[in-house]
Amino acid sequence: MKRKPLAALAALIAGATAVASCTLDDLAPVPMAEVPQPLPTYAQVAAASAQPTTMGVYSEPGPLPAGAVPVPSVAEPVQEAPQTAAIRPEPVTLGFPSVSLPRLDGGNSGGGMPAEEVACRKRLKRMGVSFTDLPRIRDSASCGIDWPVKVTTLGRSIKLTPAATLNCAMAEEAARWAQKDLAPAARTRYLSGVAEIRQMSSYSCRRIAGSRTFSEHSKGNALDIGAIRLKNGRVIVVHKPGLLAFRERSFLRSIRGQACDRFGTVLGPGYNRDHADHLHLDLKERSRTACH
């Protein structure tokens, strides 16, 4: 019984001496990586990765078997199955070249009329001129009217007989002359208004007599006046009056001179034989009016 305490004491002293002789490095724990461990089997890895998952949640591996080295798992997002959308083909538009068909009315209907022609017709209406639009006239390269009008009056009470085919500019100037010059001259000398103007020629595809030049009539740009009927019934024929026809001579001279202020050409009795029985008026552009 006395020997056992002594033996235990001796063993305790020997252990303490051994610990004291060790360094701190000897006492540090051995890293897990340096400890040789058996690799997990294929069945263990498959069992660990076969854990159930939830959509949008990452799975955690279950506990490894004893002695297996833990392998860090990299969480990957669960990919949702792509949704299949209905593919609709885009509409296909077939283009066809535009085709312009010729107009039977010469292009006079619709919105194709030039602005100056539209404005001219508005002025005619304000002046009380009665007219109708005609289809485009094209008798030759030198004869025709693009926007002709058929005029039946040159004012609210001034008839034009027979109806004259003119371009709008000529119709407008003839109406101004009839209302501003002719009618006042008739009231001054005959105390009567003008009831009717009798014309001898408007549009006509012809050349000037004895010339190769086409007349302004071939453009609807001229009007020949042969006689004037007053509201009191008197008819004044355009001709060269006699020596004693003072009032008639004054009247014809007045309306002829006033026409020279409006038109490009004014020809009448006394100019030549071709104009002995009418008054020719046209809107030909000239540097100086031809007034004869």
Side-chain angles (χ1 to χ4, degrees):
M1 293 298 293
K2 294 181 179 178
R3 290 181 181 179
K4 289 183 180 180
L6 292 176
L9 181 60
L12 181 60
I13 294 171
T17 303
V19 172
S21 62
C22 293
T23 64
L24 293 176
D25 293 335
D26 295 333
L27 298 178
V30 179
M32 182 64 70
E34 295 179 2
V35 179
Q37 298 291 340
L39 295 175
T41 64
Y42 176 80
Q44 293 173 340
V45 175
S49 60
Q51 298 295 327
T53 59
T54 305
M55 184 68 70
V57 180
Y58 301 116
S59 61
E60 294 292 341
L64 294 177
V69 178
V71 179
S73 60
V74 179
E76 296 181 359
V78 178
Q79 297 182 354
E80 297 182 358
Q83 297 180 355
T84 304
I87 301 176
R88 298 180 179 177
E90 295 189 3
V92 178
T93 303
L94 299 178
F96 296 94
S98 58
V99 179
S100 297
L101 298 177
R103 304 179 70 121
L104 298 179
D105 62 351
N108 289 19
S109 62
M113 183 178 291
E116 61 270 18
E117 293 288 339
V118 175
C120 178
R121 283 155 175 77
K122 290 181 179 179
R123 291 192 295 270
L124 289 181
K125 291 178 180 179
R126 287 196 296 267
M127 296 170 65
V129 177
S130 299
F131 68 93
T132 56
D133 285 305
L134 297 176
R136 179 176 181 262
I137 300 173
R138 185 57 58 195
D139 293 328
S140 70
S142 302
C143 296
I145 310 174
D146 288 336
W147 305 95
V149 290
K150 185 177 182 180
V151 183
T152 55
T153 72
L154 291 179
R156 290 177 175 82
S157 60
I158 304 176
K159 295 181 181 180
L160 181 63
T161 56
T165 299
L166 302 167
N167 62 49
C168 189
M170 182 62 198
E172 180 182 1
E173 204 58 45
R176 292 187 187 281
W177 172 77
Q179 296 180 30
K180 304 294 183 181
D181 302 331
L182 176 61
R187 286 193 295 268
T188 299
R189 290 166 176 83
Y190 294 98
L191 303 177
S192 176
V194 177
E196 180 186 10
I197 296 175
R198 299 174 182 174
Q199 62 96 5
M200 296 175 60
S201 178
S202 55
Y203 169 76
S204 177
C205 185
R206 69 172 187 261
R207 290 182 173 88
I208 298 175
S211 170
R212 298 183 62 85
T213 304
F214 277 87
S215 168
E216 291 298 303
H217 285 283
S218 64
K219 306 173 185 176
N221 206 33
L223 184 66
D224 291 346
I225 297 173
I228 299 157
R229 182 173 65 85
L230 303 181
K231 290 184 177 180
N232 60 11
R234 185 184 185 105
V235 177
I236 303 171
V237 178
V238 177
H239 67 294
K240 190 173 182 178
L243 294 177
L244 300 180
F246 300 109
R247 188 165 53 175
E248 186 177 0
R249 181 185 298 108
S250 174
F251 173 74
L252 292 175
R253 182 183 301 166
S254 174
I255 63 175
R256 185 173 180 173
Q258 290 172 317
C260 291
D261 295 333
R262 295 186 179 277
F263 299 95
T265 308
V266 178
L267 305 175
Y271 173 64
N272 59 18
R273 183 180 300 177
D274 293 329
H275 295 84
D277 60 351
H278 67 273
L279 193 63
H280 170 91
L281 310 174
D282 72 47
L283 278 179
K284 183 176 182 177
E285 294 184 4
R286 301 176 183 272
S287 58
R288 185 176 180 181
T289 302
C291 184
H292 302 286

